PDB file of all heavy atoms in Angstrom:
ATOM      1  N   GLY A   1      -7.010   7.054   3.283  1.00  0.00           N
ATOM      2  CA  GLY A   1      -7.475   6.254   4.446  1.00  0.00           C
ATOM      3  C   GLY A   1      -6.547   6.239   5.625  1.00  0.00           C
ATOM      4  O   GLY A   1      -6.825   5.695   6.667  1.00  0.00           O
ATOM      5  N   GLY A   2      -5.392   6.879   5.369  1.00  0.00           N
ATOM      6  CA  GLY A   2      -4.444   6.974   6.541  1.00  0.00           C
ATOM      7  C   GLY A   2      -4.942   7.823   7.694  1.00  0.00           C
ATOM      8  O   GLY A   2      -6.029   8.596   7.516  1.00  0.00           O
ATOM      9  N   GLY A   3      -4.260   7.803   8.733  1.00  0.00           N
ATOM     10  CA  GLY A   3      -4.636   8.681   9.881  1.00  0.00           C
ATOM     11  C   GLY A   3      -3.749   8.301  11.104  1.00  0.00           C
ATOM     12  O   GLY A   3      -2.910   7.533  11.064  1.00  0.00           O
ATOM     13  N   LEU A   4      -4.233   8.775  12.275  1.00  0.00           N
ATOM     14  CA  LEU A   4      -3.672   8.541  13.518  1.00  0.00           C
ATOM     15  C   LEU A   4      -4.512   7.597  14.351  1.00  0.00           C
ATOM     16  O   LEU A   4      -5.698   7.779  14.581  1.00  0.00           O
ATOM     17  CB  LEU A   4      -3.487   9.870  14.287  1.00  0.00           C
ATOM     18  CG  LEU A   4      -3.000   9.832  15.707  1.00  0.00           C
ATOM     19  CD1 LEU A   4      -1.597   9.205  15.741  1.00  0.00           C
ATOM     20  CD2 LEU A   4      -3.058  11.197  16.345  1.00  0.00           C
ATOM     21  N   VAL A   5      -3.943   6.560  14.763  1.00  0.00           N
ATOM     22  CA  VAL A   5      -4.616   5.482  15.631  1.00  0.00           C
ATOM     23  C   VAL A   5      -3.644   5.077  16.741  1.00  0.00           C
ATOM     24  O   VAL A   5      -2.424   5.257  16.673  1.00  0.00           O
ATOM     25  CB  VAL A   5      -5.015   4.272  14.806  1.00  0.00           C
ATOM     26  CG1 VAL A   5      -6.018   4.670  13.690  1.00  0.00           C
ATOM     27  CG2 VAL A   5      -3.798   3.576  14.119  1.00  0.00           C
ATOM     28  N   GLN A   6      -4.218   4.546  17.769  1.00  0.00           N
ATOM     29  CA  GLN A   6      -3.553   3.963  18.818  1.00  0.00           C
ATOM     30  C   GLN A   6      -3.120   2.615  18.580  1.00  0.00           C
ATOM     31  O   GLN A   6      -3.690   1.882  17.797  1.00  0.00           O
ATOM     32  CB  GLN A   6      -4.345   4.066  20.171  1.00  0.00           C
ATOM     33  CG  GLN A   6      -4.584   5.361  20.709  1.00  0.00           C
ATOM     34  CD  GLN A   6      -5.268   5.400  22.052  1.00  0.00           C
ATOM     35  OE1 GLN A   6      -5.759   4.332  22.489  1.00  0.00           O
ATOM     36  NE2 GLN A   6      -5.288   6.572  22.672  1.00  0.00           N
ATOM     37  N   ALA A   7      -2.047   2.096  19.249  1.00  0.00           N
ATOM     38  CA  ALA A   7      -1.544   0.746  19.006  1.00  0.00           C
ATOM     39  C   ALA A   7      -2.696  -0.216  19.270  1.00  0.00           C
ATOM     40  O   ALA A   7      -3.503  -0.048  20.265  1.00  0.00           O
ATOM     41  CB  ALA A   7      -0.473   0.523  19.928  1.00  0.00           C
ATOM     42  N   GLY A   8      -2.804  -1.242  18.448  1.00  0.00           N
ATOM     43  CA  GLY A   8      -3.905  -2.134  18.565  1.00  0.00           C
ATOM     44  C   GLY A   8      -5.158  -1.766  17.757  1.00  0.00           C
ATOM     45  O   GLY A   8      -6.029  -2.669  17.540  1.00  0.00           O
ATOM     46  N   GLY A   9      -5.116  -0.607  17.222  1.00  0.00           N
ATOM     47  CA  GLY A   9      -6.292  -0.196  16.404  1.00  0.00           C
ATOM     48  C   GLY A   9      -6.238  -0.625  14.974  1.00  0.00           C
ATOM     49  O   GLY A   9      -5.304  -1.402  14.581  1.00  0.00           O
ATOM     50  N   SER A  10      -7.153  -0.170  14.131  1.00  0.00           N
ATOM     51  CA  SER A  10      -7.216  -0.632  12.756  1.00  0.00           C
ATOM     52  C   SER A  10      -7.421   0.569  11.789  1.00  0.00           C
ATOM     53  O   SER A  10      -7.959   1.573  12.221  1.00  0.00           O
ATOM     54  CB  SER A  10      -8.419  -1.601  12.598  1.00  0.00           C
ATOM     55  OG  SER A  10      -8.254  -2.734  13.358  1.00  0.00           O
ATOM     56  N   LEU A  11      -6.978   0.387  10.602  1.00  0.00           N
ATOM     57  CA  LEU A  11      -7.256   1.361   9.539  1.00  0.00           C
ATOM     58  C   LEU A  11      -7.433   0.581   8.287  1.00  0.00           C
ATOM     59  O   LEU A  11      -6.932  -0.537   8.092  1.00  0.00           O
ATOM     60  CB  LEU A  11      -5.989   2.358   9.358  1.00  0.00           C
ATOM     61  CG  LEU A  11      -5.831   3.500  10.286  1.00  0.00           C
ATOM     62  CD1 LEU A  11      -4.558   4.214  10.052  1.00  0.00           C
ATOM     63  CD2 LEU A  11      -7.040   4.394  10.209  1.00  0.00           C
ATOM     64  N   ARG A  12      -8.201   1.106   7.290  1.00  0.00           N
ATOM     65  CA  ARG A  12      -8.330   0.660   6.074  1.00  0.00           C
ATOM     66  C   ARG A  12      -7.937   1.526   4.947  1.00  0.00           C
ATOM     67  O   ARG A  12      -8.500   2.645   4.796  1.00  0.00           O
ATOM     68  CB  ARG A  12      -9.768   0.190   5.780  1.00  0.00           C
ATOM     69  CG  ARG A  12     -10.024  -0.598   4.564  1.00  0.00           C
ATOM     70  CD  ARG A  12     -11.543  -0.886   4.282  1.00  0.00           C
ATOM     71  NE  ARG A  12     -11.826  -1.835   3.252  1.00  0.00           N
ATOM     72  CZ  ARG A  12     -12.730  -1.656   2.297  1.00  0.00           C
ATOM     73  NH1 ARG A  12     -13.506  -0.619   2.387  1.00  0.00           N
ATOM     74  NH2 ARG A  12     -12.927  -2.570   1.381  1.00  0.00           N
ATOM     75  N   LEU A  13      -6.808   1.209   4.246  1.00  0.00           N
ATOM     76  CA  LEU A  13      -6.417   2.038   3.248  1.00  0.00           C
ATOM     77  C   LEU A  13      -6.947   1.764   1.863  1.00  0.00           C
ATOM     78  O   LEU A  13      -7.287   0.555   1.625  1.00  0.00           O
ATOM     79  CB  LEU A  13      -4.868   1.988   3.096  1.00  0.00           C
ATOM     80  CG  LEU A  13      -4.028   2.219   4.375  1.00  0.00           C
ATOM     81  CD1 LEU A  13      -2.577   2.104   4.089  1.00  0.00           C
ATOM     82  CD2 LEU A  13      -4.363   3.462   5.101  1.00  0.00           C
ATOM     83  N   SER A  14      -7.126   2.754   0.994  1.00  0.00           N
ATOM     84  CA  SER A  14      -7.646   2.513  -0.307  1.00  0.00           C
ATOM     85  C   SER A  14      -6.681   3.128  -1.328  1.00  0.00           C
ATOM     86  O   SER A  14      -6.017   4.080  -1.031  1.00  0.00           O
ATOM     87  CB  SER A  14      -8.936   3.188  -0.440  1.00  0.00           C
ATOM     88  OG  SER A  14      -9.932   2.686   0.336  1.00  0.00           O
ATOM     89  N   CYS A  15      -6.590   2.457  -2.480  1.00  0.00           N
ATOM     90  CA  CYS A  15      -5.802   3.011  -3.525  1.00  0.00           C
ATOM     91  C   CYS A  15      -6.612   2.925  -4.838  1.00  0.00           C
ATOM     92  O   CYS A  15      -7.061   1.831  -5.301  1.00  0.00           O
ATOM     93  CB  CYS A  15      -4.579   2.106  -3.685  1.00  0.00           C
ATOM     94  SG  CYS A  15      -3.636   2.398  -5.273  1.00  0.00           S
ATOM     95  N   ALA A  16      -6.887   4.062  -5.385  1.00  0.00           N
ATOM     96  CA  ALA A  16      -7.604   4.197  -6.686  1.00  0.00           C
ATOM     97  C   ALA A  16      -6.526   4.378  -7.828  1.00  0.00           C
ATOM     98  O   ALA A  16      -5.709   5.216  -7.764  1.00  0.00           O
ATOM     99  CB  ALA A  16      -8.455   5.301  -6.650  1.00  0.00           C
ATOM    100  N   ALA A  17      -6.632   3.470  -8.808  1.00  0.00           N
ATOM    101  CA  ALA A  17      -5.680   3.505  -9.860  1.00  0.00           C
ATOM    102  C   ALA A  17      -6.475   3.681 -11.176  1.00  0.00           C
ATOM    103  O   ALA A  17      -7.578   3.115 -11.338  1.00  0.00           O
ATOM    104  CB  ALA A  17      -4.835   2.287  -9.893  1.00  0.00           C
ATOM    105  N   SER A  18      -5.825   4.430 -12.103  1.00  0.00           N
ATOM    106  CA  SER A  18      -6.440   4.676 -13.372  1.00  0.00           C
ATOM    107  C   SER A  18      -5.867   3.789 -14.436  1.00  0.00           C
ATOM    108  O   SER A  18      -4.839   3.221 -14.254  1.00  0.00           O
ATOM    109  CB  SER A  18      -6.234   6.115 -13.720  1.00  0.00           C
ATOM    110  OG  SER A  18      -4.862   6.405 -13.925  1.00  0.00           O
ATOM    111  N   GLY A  19      -6.561   3.713 -15.606  1.00  0.00           N
ATOM    112  CA  GLY A  19      -6.141   3.009 -16.695  1.00  0.00           C
ATOM    113  C   GLY A  19      -6.338   1.528 -16.666  1.00  0.00           C
ATOM    114  O   GLY A  19      -6.843   0.987 -15.641  1.00  0.00           O
ATOM    115  N   ARG A  20      -5.973   0.888 -17.739  1.00  0.00           N
ATOM    116  CA  ARG A  20      -6.131  -0.505 -17.858  1.00  0.00           C
ATOM    117  C   ARG A  20      -5.121  -1.366 -16.982  1.00  0.00           C
ATOM    118  O   ARG A  20      -5.341  -2.572 -16.874  1.00  0.00           O
ATOM    119  CB  ARG A  20      -6.138  -1.013 -19.343  1.00  0.00           C
ATOM    120  CG  ARG A  20      -7.150  -0.372 -20.176  1.00  0.00           C
ATOM    121  CD  ARG A  20      -6.916  -0.755 -21.652  1.00  0.00           C
ATOM    122  NE  ARG A  20      -6.980  -2.181 -21.889  1.00  0.00           N
ATOM    123  CZ  ARG A  20      -6.677  -2.804 -23.054  1.00  0.00           C
ATOM    124  NH1 ARG A  20      -6.412  -2.022 -24.021  1.00  0.00           N
ATOM    125  NH2 ARG A  20      -6.736  -4.055 -23.104  1.00  0.00           N
ATOM    126  N   THR A  21      -4.057  -0.682 -16.634  1.00  0.00           N
ATOM    127  CA  THR A  21      -3.022  -1.312 -15.973  1.00  0.00           C
ATOM    128  C   THR A  21      -3.522  -1.977 -14.651  1.00  0.00           C
ATOM    129  O   THR A  21      -3.102  -3.022 -14.228  1.00  0.00           O
ATOM    130  CB  THR A  21      -1.839  -0.369 -15.592  1.00  0.00           C
ATOM    131  OG1 THR A  21      -1.365   0.146 -16.799  1.00  0.00           O
ATOM    132  CG2 THR A  21      -0.728  -1.051 -14.781  1.00  0.00           C
ATOM    133  N   PHE A  22      -4.471  -1.322 -14.058  1.00  0.00           N
ATOM    134  CA  PHE A  22      -4.987  -1.838 -12.756  1.00  0.00           C
ATOM    135  C   PHE A  22      -5.530  -3.271 -12.870  1.00  0.00           C
ATOM    136  O   PHE A  22      -5.223  -4.106 -12.069  1.00  0.00           O
ATOM    137  CB  PHE A  22      -6.026  -0.843 -12.145  1.00  0.00           C
ATOM    138  CG  PHE A  22      -6.643  -1.293 -10.849  1.00  0.00           C
ATOM    139  CD1 PHE A  22      -5.971  -0.962  -9.700  1.00  0.00           C
ATOM    140  CD2 PHE A  22      -7.719  -2.058 -10.883  1.00  0.00           C
ATOM    141  CE1 PHE A  22      -6.548  -1.391  -8.507  1.00  0.00           C
ATOM    142  CE2 PHE A  22      -8.280  -2.506  -9.709  1.00  0.00           C
ATOM    143  CZ  PHE A  22      -7.696  -2.156  -8.444  1.00  0.00           C
ATOM    144  N   SER A  23      -6.320  -3.334 -13.928  1.00  0.00           N
ATOM    145  CA  SER A  23      -6.919  -4.676 -14.069  1.00  0.00           C
ATOM    146  C   SER A  23      -6.038  -5.759 -14.774  1.00  0.00           C
ATOM    147  O   SER A  23      -6.395  -6.899 -14.768  1.00  0.00           O
ATOM    148  CB  SER A  23      -8.326  -4.550 -14.826  1.00  0.00           C
ATOM    149  OG  SER A  23      -8.044  -4.016 -16.117  1.00  0.00           O
ATOM    150  N   SER A  24      -4.942  -5.258 -15.284  1.00  0.00           N
ATOM    151  CA  SER A  24      -4.073  -6.137 -16.056  1.00  0.00           C
ATOM    152  C   SER A  24      -2.894  -6.800 -15.231  1.00  0.00           C
ATOM    153  O   SER A  24      -2.269  -7.741 -15.679  1.00  0.00           O
ATOM    154  CB  SER A  24      -3.474  -5.383 -17.236  1.00  0.00           C
ATOM    155  OG  SER A  24      -4.430  -4.949 -18.134  1.00  0.00           O
ATOM    156  N   TYR A  25      -2.620  -6.115 -14.094  1.00  0.00           N
ATOM    157  CA  TYR A  25      -1.526  -6.527 -13.286  1.00  0.00           C
ATOM    158  C   TYR A  25      -1.874  -6.767 -11.837  1.00  0.00           C
ATOM    159  O   TYR A  25      -2.903  -6.271 -11.355  1.00  0.00           O
ATOM    160  CB  TYR A  25      -0.412  -5.466 -13.404  1.00  0.00           C
ATOM    161  CG  TYR A  25       0.245  -5.267 -14.705  1.00  0.00           C
ATOM    162  CD1 TYR A  25      -0.237  -4.393 -15.626  1.00  0.00           C
ATOM    163  CD2 TYR A  25       1.260  -6.180 -15.046  1.00  0.00           C
ATOM    164  CE1 TYR A  25       0.315  -4.168 -16.871  1.00  0.00           C
ATOM    165  CE2 TYR A  25       1.875  -6.083 -16.330  1.00  0.00           C
ATOM    166  CZ  TYR A  25       1.438  -5.022 -17.188  1.00  0.00           C
ATOM    167  OH  TYR A  25       2.008  -4.989 -18.410  1.00  0.00           O
ATOM    168  N   ALA A  26      -0.986  -7.439 -11.171  1.00  0.00           N
ATOM    169  CA  ALA A  26      -1.031  -7.516  -9.790  1.00  0.00           C
ATOM    170  C   ALA A  26      -0.860  -6.062  -9.129  1.00  0.00           C
ATOM    171  O   ALA A  26      -0.315  -5.213  -9.805  1.00  0.00           O
ATOM    172  CB  ALA A  26      -0.017  -8.412  -9.155  1.00  0.00           C
ATOM    173  N   MET A  27      -1.319  -5.886  -7.868  1.00  0.00           N
ATOM    174  CA  MET A  27      -1.089  -4.604  -7.210  1.00  0.00           C
ATOM    175  C   MET A  27      -0.502  -4.862  -5.831  1.00  0.00           C
ATOM    176  O   MET A  27      -0.719  -5.953  -5.247  1.00  0.00           O
ATOM    177  CB  MET A  27      -2.431  -3.899  -7.030  1.00  0.00           C
ATOM    178  CG  MET A  27      -3.030  -3.488  -8.374  1.00  0.00           C
ATOM    179  SD  MET A  27      -2.066  -2.100  -9.135  1.00  0.00           S
ATOM    180  CE  MET A  27      -2.264  -0.772  -8.041  1.00  0.00           C
ATOM    181  N   GLY A  28       0.226  -3.857  -5.411  1.00  0.00           N
ATOM    182  CA  GLY A  28       0.899  -4.029  -4.113  1.00  0.00           C
ATOM    183  C   GLY A  28       0.896  -2.739  -3.256  1.00  0.00           C
ATOM    184  O   GLY A  28       0.573  -1.656  -3.783  1.00  0.00           O
ATOM    185  N   TRP A  29       1.162  -2.968  -2.050  1.00  0.00           N
ATOM    186  CA  TRP A  29       1.316  -1.862  -1.027  1.00  0.00           C
ATOM    187  C   TRP A  29       2.687  -1.831  -0.545  1.00  0.00           C
ATOM    188  O   TRP A  29       3.271  -2.925  -0.319  1.00  0.00           O
ATOM    189  CB  TRP A  29       0.337  -2.064   0.132  1.00  0.00           C
ATOM    190  CG  TRP A  29      -1.031  -1.639  -0.162  1.00  0.00           C
ATOM    191  CD1 TRP A  29      -2.093  -2.530  -0.487  1.00  0.00           C
ATOM    192  CD2 TRP A  29      -1.655  -0.346  -0.132  1.00  0.00           C
ATOM    193  NE1 TRP A  29      -3.285  -1.842  -0.665  1.00  0.00           N
ATOM    194  CE2 TRP A  29      -3.053  -0.515  -0.422  1.00  0.00           C
ATOM    195  CE3 TRP A  29      -1.107   0.905   0.164  1.00  0.00           C
ATOM    196  CZ2 TRP A  29      -3.850   0.637  -0.520  1.00  0.00           C
ATOM    197  CZ3 TRP A  29      -1.929   1.963   0.173  1.00  0.00           C
ATOM    198  CH2 TRP A  29      -3.325   1.853  -0.217  1.00  0.00           C
ATOM    199  N   PHE A  30       3.239  -0.766  -0.391  1.00  0.00           N
ATOM    200  CA  PHE A  30       4.528  -0.441   0.125  1.00  0.00           C
ATOM    201  C   PHE A  30       4.564   0.609   1.215  1.00  0.00           C
ATOM    202  O   PHE A  30       3.587   1.272   1.238  1.00  0.00           O
ATOM    203  CB  PHE A  30       5.529  -0.043  -1.032  1.00  0.00           C
ATOM    204  CG  PHE A  30       5.585  -1.025  -2.159  1.00  0.00           C
ATOM    205  CD1 PHE A  30       4.546  -1.062  -3.119  1.00  0.00           C
ATOM    206  CD2 PHE A  30       6.560  -1.899  -2.330  1.00  0.00           C
ATOM    207  CE1 PHE A  30       4.576  -1.962  -4.141  1.00  0.00           C
ATOM    208  CE2 PHE A  30       6.614  -2.946  -3.259  1.00  0.00           C
ATOM    209  CZ  PHE A  30       5.617  -2.905  -4.271  1.00  0.00           C
ATOM    210  N   ARG A  31       5.586   0.715   1.992  1.00  0.00           N
ATOM    211  CA  ARG A  31       5.561   1.784   2.945  1.00  0.00           C
ATOM    212  C   ARG A  31       6.886   2.271   3.157  1.00  0.00           C
ATOM    213  O   ARG A  31       7.938   1.566   2.994  1.00  0.00           O
ATOM    214  CB  ARG A  31       5.005   1.241   4.339  1.00  0.00           C
ATOM    215  CG  ARG A  31       5.754   0.226   5.006  1.00  0.00           C
ATOM    216  CD  ARG A  31       4.999  -0.332   6.259  1.00  0.00           C
ATOM    217  NE  ARG A  31       5.813  -1.318   6.902  1.00  0.00           N
ATOM    218  CZ  ARG A  31       5.377  -1.948   8.083  1.00  0.00           C
ATOM    219  NH1 ARG A  31       4.081  -1.746   8.403  1.00  0.00           N
ATOM    220  NH2 ARG A  31       6.181  -2.863   8.623  1.00  0.00           N
ATOM    221  N   GLN A  32       7.034   3.479   3.717  1.00  0.00           N
ATOM    222  CA  GLN A  32       8.373   4.076   4.025  1.00  0.00           C
ATOM    223  C   GLN A  32       8.202   4.760   5.374  1.00  0.00           C
ATOM    224  O   GLN A  32       7.546   5.788   5.467  1.00  0.00           O
ATOM    225  CB  GLN A  32       8.788   5.036   2.938  1.00  0.00           C
ATOM    226  CG  GLN A  32      10.243   5.552   3.177  1.00  0.00           C
ATOM    227  CD  GLN A  32      10.777   6.246   1.898  1.00  0.00           C
ATOM    228  OE1 GLN A  32      10.065   6.662   1.149  1.00  0.00           O
ATOM    229  NE2 GLN A  32      12.122   6.269   1.918  1.00  0.00           N
ATOM    230  N   ALA A  33       8.949   4.289   6.357  1.00  0.00           N
ATOM    231  CA  ALA A  33       9.061   4.903   7.652  1.00  0.00           C
ATOM    232  C   ALA A  33      10.061   5.953   7.770  1.00  0.00           C
ATOM    233  O   ALA A  33      11.037   5.916   6.905  1.00  0.00           O
ATOM    234  CB  ALA A  33       9.244   3.783   8.767  1.00  0.00           C
ATOM    235  N   PRO A  34       9.970   6.944   8.676  1.00  0.00           N
ATOM    236  CA  PRO A  34      10.983   7.949   8.749  1.00  0.00           C
ATOM    237  C   PRO A  34      12.404   7.324   8.938  1.00  0.00           C
ATOM    238  O   PRO A  34      12.635   6.496   9.784  1.00  0.00           O
ATOM    239  CB  PRO A  34      10.543   8.748  10.044  1.00  0.00           C
ATOM    240  CG  PRO A  34       9.087   8.484  10.069  1.00  0.00           C
ATOM    241  CD  PRO A  34       8.870   7.011   9.582  1.00  0.00           C
ATOM    242  N   GLY A  35      13.325   7.817   8.136  1.00  0.00           N
ATOM    243  CA  GLY A  35      14.676   7.404   8.221  1.00  0.00           C
ATOM    244  C   GLY A  35      15.002   5.973   7.714  1.00  0.00           C
ATOM    245  O   GLY A  35      16.076   5.415   7.799  1.00  0.00           O
ATOM    246  N   LYS A  36      13.992   5.324   7.061  1.00  0.00           N
ATOM    247  CA  LYS A  36      14.097   4.013   6.561  1.00  0.00           C
ATOM    248  C   LYS A  36      13.824   3.940   5.057  1.00  0.00           C
ATOM    249  O   LYS A  36      13.177   4.805   4.504  1.00  0.00           O
ATOM    250  CB  LYS A  36      13.259   2.994   7.326  1.00  0.00           C
ATOM    251  CG  LYS A  36      13.551   2.910   8.809  1.00  0.00           C
ATOM    252  CD  LYS A  36      12.565   1.933   9.537  1.00  0.00           C
ATOM    253  CE  LYS A  36      12.830   0.479   8.962  1.00  0.00           C
ATOM    254  NZ  LYS A  36      11.916  -0.525   9.689  1.00  0.00           N
ATOM    255  N   GLU A  37      14.237   2.813   4.406  1.00  0.00           N
ATOM    256  CA  GLU A  37      14.097   2.612   2.996  1.00  0.00           C
ATOM    257  C   GLU A  37      12.564   2.211   2.860  1.00  0.00           C
ATOM    258  O   GLU A  37      12.061   1.564   3.695  1.00  0.00           O
ATOM    259  CB  GLU A  37      14.986   1.581   2.418  1.00  0.00           C
ATOM    260  CG  GLU A  37      16.445   2.044   2.500  1.00  0.00           C
ATOM    261  CD  GLU A  37      16.723   3.188   1.534  1.00  0.00           C
ATOM    262  OE1 GLU A  37      16.275   3.146   0.452  1.00  0.00           O
ATOM    263  OE2 GLU A  37      17.497   4.176   1.988  1.00  0.00           O
ATOM    264  N   ARG A  38      12.032   2.526   1.661  1.00  0.00           N
ATOM    265  CA  ARG A  38      10.708   2.008   1.309  1.00  0.00           C
ATOM    266  C   ARG A  38      10.746   0.493   1.244  1.00  0.00           C
ATOM    267  O   ARG A  38      11.747  -0.100   0.690  1.00  0.00           O
ATOM    268  CB  ARG A  38      10.330   2.626  -0.057  1.00  0.00           C
ATOM    269  CG  ARG A  38       8.892   2.453  -0.321  1.00  0.00           C
ATOM    270  CD  ARG A  38       8.439   3.431  -1.444  1.00  0.00           C
ATOM    271  NE  ARG A  38       8.641   4.775  -1.172  1.00  0.00           N
ATOM    272  CZ  ARG A  38       8.338   5.837  -1.904  1.00  0.00           C
ATOM    273  NH1 ARG A  38       7.877   5.591  -3.077  1.00  0.00           N
ATOM    274  NH2 ARG A  38       8.547   7.016  -1.509  1.00  0.00           N
ATOM    275  N   GLU A  39       9.763  -0.181   1.770  1.00  0.00           N
ATOM    276  CA  GLU A  39       9.671  -1.563   1.724  1.00  0.00           C
ATOM    277  C   GLU A  39       8.364  -2.183   1.284  1.00  0.00           C
ATOM    278  O   GLU A  39       7.357  -1.486   1.358  1.00  0.00           O
ATOM    279  CB  GLU A  39       9.980  -2.064   3.196  1.00  0.00           C
ATOM    280  CG  GLU A  39       8.945  -1.726   4.264  1.00  0.00           C
ATOM    281  CD  GLU A  39       9.241  -2.215   5.608  1.00  0.00           C
ATOM    282  OE1 GLU A  39      10.202  -2.973   5.763  1.00  0.00           O
ATOM    283  OE2 GLU A  39       8.464  -1.875   6.523  1.00  0.00           O
ATOM    284  N   PHE A  40       8.487  -3.410   0.847  1.00  0.00           N
ATOM    285  CA  PHE A  40       7.234  -4.127   0.474  1.00  0.00           C
ATOM    286  C   PHE A  40       6.414  -4.507   1.617  1.00  0.00           C
ATOM    287  O   PHE A  40       6.929  -4.893   2.668  1.00  0.00           O
ATOM    288  CB  PHE A  40       7.651  -5.365  -0.356  1.00  0.00           C
ATOM    289  CG  PHE A  40       6.566  -6.385  -0.469  1.00  0.00           C
ATOM    290  CD1 PHE A  40       5.632  -6.242  -1.438  1.00  0.00           C
ATOM    291  CD2 PHE A  40       6.589  -7.495   0.296  1.00  0.00           C
ATOM    292  CE1 PHE A  40       4.596  -7.221  -1.537  1.00  0.00           C
ATOM    293  CE2 PHE A  40       5.558  -8.477   0.184  1.00  0.00           C
ATOM    294  CZ  PHE A  40       4.534  -8.222  -0.771  1.00  0.00           C
ATOM    295  N   VAL A  41       5.096  -4.429   1.447  1.00  0.00           N
ATOM    296  CA  VAL A  41       4.108  -4.756   2.447  1.00  0.00           C
ATOM    297  C   VAL A  41       3.305  -5.962   2.066  1.00  0.00           C
ATOM    298  O   VAL A  41       3.167  -6.882   2.750  1.00  0.00           O
ATOM    299  CB  VAL A  41       3.298  -3.544   2.867  1.00  0.00           C
ATOM    300  CG1 VAL A  41       2.233  -3.982   3.854  1.00  0.00           C
ATOM    301  CG2 VAL A  41       4.123  -2.480   3.432  1.00  0.00           C
ATOM    302  N   ALA A  42       2.532  -5.805   0.986  1.00  0.00           N
ATOM    303  CA  ALA A  42       1.666  -6.795   0.515  1.00  0.00           C
ATOM    304  C   ALA A  42       1.415  -6.757  -0.982  1.00  0.00           C
ATOM    305  O   ALA A  42       1.539  -5.634  -1.596  1.00  0.00           O
ATOM    306  CB  ALA A  42       0.314  -6.617   1.220  1.00  0.00           C
ATOM    307  N   ARG A  43       1.006  -7.874  -1.638  1.00  0.00           N
ATOM    308  CA  ARG A  43       0.750  -7.844  -3.001  1.00  0.00           C
ATOM    309  C   ARG A  43      -0.440  -8.837  -3.281  1.00  0.00           C
ATOM    310  O   ARG A  43      -0.612  -9.822  -2.561  1.00  0.00           O
ATOM    311  CB  ARG A  43       2.039  -8.384  -3.806  1.00  0.00           C
ATOM    312  CG  ARG A  43       1.728  -8.431  -5.384  1.00  0.00           C
ATOM    313  CD  ARG A  43       2.979  -8.683  -6.103  1.00  0.00           C
ATOM    314  NE  ARG A  43       3.490 -10.068  -5.857  1.00  0.00           N
ATOM    315  CZ  ARG A  43       4.531 -10.585  -6.469  1.00  0.00           C
ATOM    316  NH1 ARG A  43       5.293  -9.897  -7.292  1.00  0.00           N
ATOM    317  NH2 ARG A  43       4.914 -11.856  -6.251  1.00  0.00           N
ATOM    318  N   ILE A  44      -1.211  -8.446  -4.327  1.00  0.00           N
ATOM    319  CA  ILE A  44      -2.414  -9.239  -4.649  1.00  0.00           C
ATOM    320  C   ILE A  44      -2.365  -9.473  -6.174  1.00  0.00           C
ATOM    321  O   ILE A  44      -2.105  -8.531  -6.898  1.00  0.00           O
ATOM    322  CB  ILE A  44      -3.677  -8.676  -4.124  1.00  0.00           C
ATOM    323  CG1 ILE A  44      -4.843  -9.596  -4.348  1.00  0.00           C
ATOM    324  CG2 ILE A  44      -3.911  -7.277  -4.708  1.00  0.00           C
ATOM    325  CD1 ILE A  44      -6.191  -9.174  -3.611  1.00  0.00           C
TER     326      ILE A  44
END
């Protein structure tokens, strides 16, 4: 779901996960910008 957008725009990312783990645990999104450490974004 990633892509190139202009500031102020929107994107919807998707994550497909296999196995029973998906339904058994919380899930989260993380991101890593160029030259920066990977960081937490959101969890559900």
Side-chain angles (χ1 to χ4, degrees):
L4 174 64
V5 297
Q6 293 186 347
S10 299
L11 282 174
R12 188 184 190 224
L13 307 184
S14 297
C15 169
S18 66
R20 297 174 61 187
T21 301
F22 181 86
S23 60
S24 299
Y25 293 97
M27 293 292 292
W29 284 97
F30 304 80
R31 68 185 182 185
Q32 187 166 22
K36 299 180 66 177
E37 296 294 315
R38 194 165 299 180
E39 65 178 356
F40 164 77
V41 175
R43 182 173 68 177
I44 187 169

